Amino acid sequence: MAYKDIVDGLPTITGIKEDLRPESKPCYAPVSNINFKNVQASFGIALHMHQPTIPASSDDLRSAELISNLDHMMRNQHIGDNHNAPVFLWCYERIAEFVRELVSQGRNPRVMLDYSGNLFWGLPMMGQRKVLESLKSVTCDKKYFRYVEWLGTTWSHAVVTSTPIPDIKLQMMAWREHFASIFGIEAVKRVKGFSPPEMHLPIHPDVCYEYIKALKECGYQWLMVQEHTIEKTDGSGLNPRLPHRLIAKNSLGEIQEIAVLIKTQGSDTKLVAQMQPYYEAKTLGRQEYCGKSVPLYVAQIGDGENGGVMMNEFPAGFKNAFAEIGTEGVVAMNGSEYLEFIEKEGVKEKSFATVQPISQHRIWQEVKDYKPGACDEAIKKVKEKDAGFNLDRGSWTNDKNWVKGYENVLDPINKLSVAFHKKFDDKKTAMTGRHYKEALLYLLLSQTSCFRYWGEGIWTEYAKEICRRGMEALKKTS
């Protein structure tokens, strides 16, 4: 069988496909079996899956082939926790099995999925295409797709703040193109929500503006955010179980907006594995919002494979919960399904309560007029008053600075990005052909968050080698 997602060993990504935007019309509520009028409360869970791509087919870093870290784990199961590799592999496929099993039993499961482009590419490259085929069954078959919603993300799990701004949209578009090459155009048109790597939301107003602008240009209609990374623009209390509208304003006073569903705080994998959002929803009822009575929505996301609780407790927790969940009362709904239903009830996005990234109110207090660099000047003033003020911690860990301390990785990444855009942004150099795709691949791979998350050592060396190869690929383009 001929597949479209890998051509000559490279993933199908160009970063320039503009025709893969999602449908603007509802596509989940019309096929849903939820009796929304009789819903008391609701919840949704999302599973995040990722494996970085590394030059590690051999010990010679400069000549080693790019392989999935999962492949590396499989080859070296005697080292550390690599013995978990076969279980990880099963985790990537098993959710499709669970959905099919529950549906065959007359149950009503729901799950949102977030898989990185690295993982999509790495699985077939290590001979595990059957994982994608299994996922395709619940993604493309009309019998199942109402139960499963895919969330978009950056192709190589790149955290926005430590990704050069010109590359943010490239990451998003590459993911959509790669997803379409696996699951088809109809499936990618249903990808309306965005799952940010590490649940990171940029605090710097100019960066957040460019981020939301890129999301909107790619057609995304909503974004999942972490509860402690946002604040109400009017300073009032925040109810994370209701949808909100994120306002992103830049130094020039320009505004981008997007609907957000809010993930509550907590130990992510444990809460998902034990289906805590369902049990919390059972304690909730409807609430008046924007002049209408709506069910509250408890959202949670966690790694789908990482840690003993997800590997061992999730299957039983997921199946047991859906053995008692029906189509009314306390129900499961995926994000777009919930938003489409409340819009149908007359709750429009423009009436949602507004939020902004956490701590931005301190920045805007120092902005006297809109002009280039206004926010940088304001941030400098805030830091003069408070040396501990930080822009880089808006993520689900809340203890990880995604920039400071990683300059030895970020410097070559930035240099590669500058060289890439210098070569291609004038459109005089063809953005087609193998050399362009190689250069783009290395650019995106260099921005994988793992190269920062794991700090010094071999992970830093992987990043530097990928950047070196990217520079070499650029020399080959014409």
Side-chain angles (χ1 to χ4, degrees), residues 134-198:
S134 185
L135 291 168
K136 190 179 295 185
S137 69
V138 295
T139 303
C140 304
D141 190 330
K142 290 183 178 180
K143 180 179 179 180
Y144 297 109
F145 74 66
R146 70 181 175 190
Y147 304 105
V148 178
E149 177 175 11
W150 283 92
L151 304 179
T153 190
T154 53
W155 187 84
S156 69
H157 199 260
V159 175
V160 173
T161 291
S162 50
T163 301
I165 287 176
D167 301 332
I168 295 172
K169 187 177 177 182
L170 282 176
Q171 287 275 1
M172 295 175 183
M173 294 178 68
W175 186 93
R176 294 193 70 87
E177 183 178 7
H178 195 169
F179 182 89
S181 71
I182 299 169
F183 300 105
I185 297 296
E186 287 188 16
V188 79
K189 296 284 189 178
R190 294 193 295 269
V191 181
K192 298 184 172 189
F194 189 84
S195 176
E198 307 299 343

Side-chain angles (χ1 to χ4, degrees), residues 50-54 69 73 81-82 88 157 159 198 303 306-307 400-402 405-406 408-409 448-463:
H50 168 61
Q51 285 289 345
T53 307
I54 53 178
N69 181 60
M73 292 174 65
D81 291 333
N82 288 355
F88 278 21
H157 199 260
V159 175
E198 307 299 343
D303 287 348
N306 198 13
K400 182 69 66 176
N401 186 316
W402 293 100
Y406 299 100
N408 59 343
V409 176
T448 302
S449 69
C450 306
F451 299 141
R452 301 193 267 297
Y453 189 89
W454 298 111
E456 296 292 338
I458 188 61
W459 289 93
T460 297
E461 297 308 310
Y462 287 152

